[in-house]
Amino acid sequence: MKKFFLFKRRDVNITSTTTSDTGEGLDILAVSVDHLAFMTASSGRVNIVFNDATIYEESNLFDGESFKKTSVTVACEAGGEAALIDSIMDFISSDRVKTNVMRFDAVEGRTNVKEAKIEALTDVVSEVRQLPVVRTTQKVSKRTFIGGTDGTAFGTGATIAGIEFGDGNVPEIDYNEDGFATSAGNVTACTNSGSGSTTYDISTIGGTIPLDTSTGRSNNGLATQAADIGTSAYFDLPDSYTAEKEFTMYCVIGRSTSDIQSNPKLGFLVQGSATAGQGLTYAFVDPLDNNNFKFKFGGEKGGFVTVPSPSPIITSDVPVEEMKTCYVFVIRRDEESNIIIYDNSGTAIAIAASNTDENSFSRTDGNFVLRHLGNGLSEYKFQGNLARFGVISRDIGSAAASQLAIDLDNKYKTNR
C-alpha cells in the first residue's frame, strides 16, 4: 500500500489556492512519498523537496530562470533536525509502520512524528510554485514572451517603480515616491504611473502635505521619501475612480516610532466623493479602534463592514526597537465580494465574508469609489506617511496578492 505525506496549514477557506510561491493560500497538500527528492535542514526547520509534484506539465523559461521544485518546510526543536529527517526516512523505508499517512497538521497543532514541532501555521509552509525564479538572485520572475519586443525585454513592461506586477496585473492607478512634485518642500502634484495615465494625475492638494525625505524608523518610518498626510490634508483626484465589482488595492504607509507612541492609529486613507449614496466609500483602518479594519461602499445605508485584526494594526505595545514602522496592506475584493486583507508578510490576516443581501446592512458589494486620499470628506481623520498607493481593476488572486505584499515590504521597509 502506498504511503503519503499530508501537510495542513489552515482549514480550506476562500483564500485557499492550488499553487503558491510564498506558501500563503496553499493550505492543504498531499504528496506520495514516492516523489521525495531530498531533505535539508536549517535551525529548527526541515525542508522536504519533491520531484514531479508541480502544477505545470511544461514551461517556457528565459535563460537564467528555473522553476524550483515543490517543497514543504516543517518545524522542529532546534537541534532536532537530523532526528526528524531520520524519522521521515524510517517511515518511508519501513514495512511495519502503523499508518500509511505522515501528518503535519498546524490547524490542530498535531503530528504523528514526535520529532516535529507543529503548533502554528508558520510551522508548516508548502510551496507549489506558480512562477520561476532568476537563479542568480533567487527572486520570482514574472517575465513573459507574450507581447515582447527588444525595447521591453520580452514583456517586462509590467514593472513600475521597482515593483514587478506581472502580465495582466498592471495597476490602473499607481502613486509612488517618484511621482511627487514639490515646491518649498511641500507636495504640489502627484503623477499616476499606472495604465490610467494622466486621467488620474493629481494636481489638487487639500491643505499642506510636506514631502518627508528623512527616511528611517525614527523619521518617516520608511526606506524612501513619502507624503506626510496630516489630519486636515488630502490628495484630490481629478475624477472619481470607481470599481463596481472586483478590485485589488495596495498601499505603503510609514509611521515614525515617536508617532506610534503618541498616536497608534491610521484612519481611512481611502475616501469617496460623498458621505452617502453612490459616491460613498471609506476604507480601510478604523480611525477609532486600532484592532479593526473597516469598509463602507457606495449606496450602503447601514453600518460599516468591520473586520477584526488578529493583532493591533499599529504595533505600539512593544519596545521601540521592535516597532514596525512600515505598514503594507494589499486588499482584494473577489468576484463573490469577499474582502481579503494581506500584511507585510504576505499573510491573509483578515477576511470579510461576502454580504450581498439587498435587505442587509454592511454589504460588501457596493461601488468602491476613490476620490480622496487622506481627509477629503472631513468626517473621519487619517494621518500617516504615504509612499505608495495603487488600484488594480481586477482580483489578482491570493498568490499574487501575497507576493505583491512581500515585494512592497522588501522595497519600503527600513533597517535603521
Side-chain angles (χ1 to χ4, degrees):
M1 186 176 294
K2 275 197 169 187
K3 297 175 185 176
F4 291 87
F5 294 108
L6 179 61
F7 305 99
K8 186 175 182 182
R9 190 167 186 258
R10 280 190 283 212
D11 286 327
V12 173
N13 59 73
I14 58 174
T15 70
S16 297
T17 62
T18 57
T19 61
S20 177
D21 297 297
T22 65
E24 178 59 31
L26 190 52
D27 295 319
I28 295 182
L29 177 66
V31 186
S32 168
V33 300
D34 296 338
H35 291 288
L36 178 66
F38 61 88
M39 291 180 282
T40 60
S42 57
S43 180
R45 315 287 291 187
V46 168
N47 190 41
I48 309 168
V49 182
F50 298 98
N51 289 321
D52 302 322
T54 60
I55 198 73
Y56 301 118
E57 290 189 354
E58 62 180 55
S59 302
N60 299 310
L61 301 175
F62 287 92
D63 185 35
E65 292 182 350
S66 294
F67 261 101
K68 286 187 174 182
K69 294 177 183 287
T70 289
S71 64
V72 182
T73 302
V74 297
C76 62
E77 294 287 355
E81 300 85 7
L84 176 54
I85 291 174
D86 276 342
S87 289
I88 293 172
M89 291 190 296
D90 286 344
F91 168 75
I92 294 171
S93 60
S94 176
D95 294 327
R96 294 179 293 179
V97 292
K98 295 179 180 179
T99 177
N100 290 318
V101 179
M102 179 172 277
R103 301 174 186 272
F104 301 88
D105 188 337
V107 175
E108 298 184 9
R110 67 183 180 91
T111 175
N112 53 4
V113 189
K114 63 182 177 61
E115 291 81 5
K117 183 182 179 182
I118 309 300
E119 298 175 348
L121 65 87
T122 53
D123 292 336
V124 180
V125 180
S126 305
E127 296 177 345
V128 177
R129 271 71 179 193
Q130 180 177 348
L131 296 169
V133 298
V134 178
R135 290 194 297 271
T136 54
T137 64
Q138 291 298 296
K139 290 184 177 180
V140 167
S141 172
K142 298 171 185 168
R143 294 187 297 175
T144 174
F145 288 101
I146 300 172
T149 67
D150 290 340
T152 60
F154 294 101
T156 58
T159 298
I160 300 174
I163 299 297
E164 190 175 356
F165 291 91
D167 186 49
N169 291 340
V170 175
E172 195 163 353
I173 290 175
D174 183 276
Y175 302 124
N176 60 69
E177 72 281 2
D178 296 331
F180 295 128
T182 61
S183 175
N186 296 318
V187 179
T188 57
C190 186
T191 301
N192 175 33
S193 299
S195 63
S197 191
T198 57
T199 301
Y200 298 108
D201 280 353
I202 294 173
S203 59
T204 301
I205 308 294
T208 301
I209 301 180
L211 181 65
D212 193 340
T213 59
S214 299
T215 60
R217 291 167 46 78
S218 61
N219 295 303
N220 68 9
L222 301 165
T224 70
Q225 63 184 15
D228 183 357
I229 304 177
T231 56
S232 60
Y234 58 91
F235 290 103
D236 188 3
L237 277 68
D239 196 7
S240 294
Y241 172 88
T242 301
E244 296 182 355
K245 296 181 179 179
E246 60 187 70
F247 65 85
T248 302
M249 176 176 66
Y250 57 89
C251 71
V252 180
I253 302 169
R255 298 297 304 277
S256 71
T257 51
S258 59
D259 286 341
I260 292 170
Q261 288 175 312
S262 63
N263 187 12
K265 293 182 175 67
L266 288 180
F268 294 131
L269 169 64
V270 175
Q271 302 188 11
S273 60
T275 58
Q278 290 303 321
L280 173 68
T281 293
Y282 289 112
F284 49 91
V285 178
D286 190 328
L288 303 177
D289 189 340
N290 189 35
N291 296 287
N292 288 324
F293 295 98
K294 277 195 169 184
F295 302 86
K296 207 168 190 179
F297 297 112
E300 177 57 56
K301 298 179 181 179
F304 281 86
V305 177
T306 301
V307 192
S309 171
S311 59
I313 297 168
I314 302 296
T315 53
S316 60
D317 56 347
V318 297
V320 171
E321 61 271 15
E322 297 178 15
M323 284 182 179
K324 183 170 76 171
T325 61
C326 170
Y327 291 88
V328 173
F329 302 96
V330 176
I331 301 170
R332 301 166 43 220
R333 183 165 73 180
D334 66 17
E335 62 181 357
E336 296 178 352
S337 296
N338 299 293
I339 300 171
I340 306 100
I341 304 164
Y342 300 79
D343 68 359
N344 298 54
S345 69
T347 301
I349 58 170
I351 299 172
S354 173
N355 179 7
T356 61
D357 185 347
E358 293 182 0
N359 298 314
S360 173
F361 292 145
S362 306
R363 291 174 58 175
T364 61
D365 62 340
N367 285 351
F368 169 81
V369 180
L370 169 62
R371 183 60 188 262
H372 304 101
L373 290 174
N375 303 281
L377 296 180
S378 300
E379 189 173 358
Y380 299 98
K381 300 301 182 183
F382 169 85
Q383 58 182 339
N385 302 311
L386 182 65
R388 190 133 190 182
F389 176 86
V391 183
I392 302 168
S393 57
R394 62 184 293 268
D395 171 23
I396 65 175
S398 185
S402 174
Q403 187 64 56
L404 175 57
I406 292 170
D407 291 345
L408 290 168
D409 178 68
N410 287 337
K411 175 174 180 180
Y412 290 98
K413 70 181 176 184
T414 180
N415 295 317
R416 60 180 180 84

